[in-house]
Amino acid sequence: KAKYNLKINNFLLKMHELNNEERNAYFYEINDNNFSEKRTGRDILVEFKNFLAGKDNLAFLSQVSGFKIKSLKDSFITKYSAGYFRGTNSDPYSLPKYKLQIILNLSPYWRFDYGGVLNFMSKDKTQLIQTPLFDFNTLIIAKTLVKGSIPYNVTSIPPKINKHKYFYNCYFG
């Protein structure tokens, strides 16, 4: 566990340093293990992704979740900016292929009143169930459902906010 925490903390420290230098060009949405050569900080993300897909991390996630986690199935960074609005959504990630999701907050200077707040909704999308407030350097580990994900929304971000909110999303199976 200490090795796991140290690896995440080192990754987040490097990310924090890039943010302090206002090198937000580091963050681009990625998917299906495709990386563009123009991205800065690629080596940091690749190192962290390799750690997440490594046998020590998969064993740790298996232990804490109760599932037999065999691999990192998908990972990507989501960027929320001024004017963002999408409404309630459900991801297509479900059992048996996807068993576990991790959402990591990569936004050290984000404030609650900027918007971009994650809300989990009831299955019929009529009621707010939970608003997990997790700061920079914290994450959520959630089990996926048999069919689809728990409906959620991310609150809108006012047009005059000149910062971005980033989440690193990982799906394991």
Side-chain angles (χ1 to χ4, degrees), residues 2-172:
K3 183 178 177 184
Y4 181 84
N5 290 337
L6 180 62
K7 196 72 161 183
I8 289 178
N9 286 336
N10 286 342
F11 169 75
L12 292 171
L13 179 62
K14 289 176 186 175
M15 301 283 281
H16 187 69
E17 288 169 1
L18 289 174
N19 275 340
N20 281 342
E21 297 169 12
E22 296 184 7
R23 291 174 57 192
N24 288 333
Y26 169 76
F27 300 103
Y28 287 85
E29 185 171 317
I30 61 168
N31 205 340
D32 298 327
N33 301 319
N34 294 322
F35 296 96
S36 169
E37 292 301 319
K38 67 181 181 180
R39 293 188 182 129
T40 60
R42 178 179 180 262
D43 55 332
I44 298 169
L45 187 55
V46 169
E47 179 184 340
F48 187 62
K49 192 169 184 177
N50 289 341
F51 164 73
L52 290 172
K55 66 180 183 176
D56 290 342
N57 183 56
L58 298 177
F60 172 78
L61 292 175
S62 293
Q63 181 184 4
V64 298
S65 70
F67 286 125
K68 175 63 178 152
I69 305 297
K70 296 180 182 176
S71 66
L72 173 64
K73 298 289 188 183
D74 195 10
S75 68
F76 54 91
I77 291 177
T78 306
K79 174 182 173 181
Y80 299 101
S81 301
Y84 168 83
F85 178 78
R86 184 169 181 191
T88 303
N89 189 33
S90 290
D91 292 332
Y93 302 99
S94 61
L95 290 171
K97 183 178 179 183
Y98 301 98
K99 297 177 181 173
L100 202 64
Q101 176 184 14
I102 291 179
I103 306 169
L104 178 62
N105 183 347
L106 301 176
S107 305
Y109 303 111
W110 198 260
R111 296 183 354 203
F112 181 81
D113 55 328
Y114 291 168
V117 177
L118 177 64
N119 295 308
F120 291 114
M121 311 295 289
S122 61
K123 287 183 182 182
D124 64 2
K125 303 177 185 179
T126 60
Q127 293 184 317
L128 176 68
I129 296 174
Q130 186 178 16
T131 300
L133 300 178
F134 56 113
D135 294 325
F136 171 71
N137 199 12
T138 58
L139 56 84
I140 293 174
I141 300 176
K143 294 180 179 180
T144 58
L145 302 176
V146 173
K147 185 174 183 181
S149 70
I150 295 173
Y152 69 92
N153 70 26
V154 177
T155 61
S156 61
I157 298 174
K160 296 195 179 201
I161 300 298
N162 63 354
K163 297 180 183 288
H164 306 285
K165 187 168 190 175
Y166 301 96
F167 288 113
Y168 188 69
N169 302 274
C170 310
Y171 292 88
F172 297 86

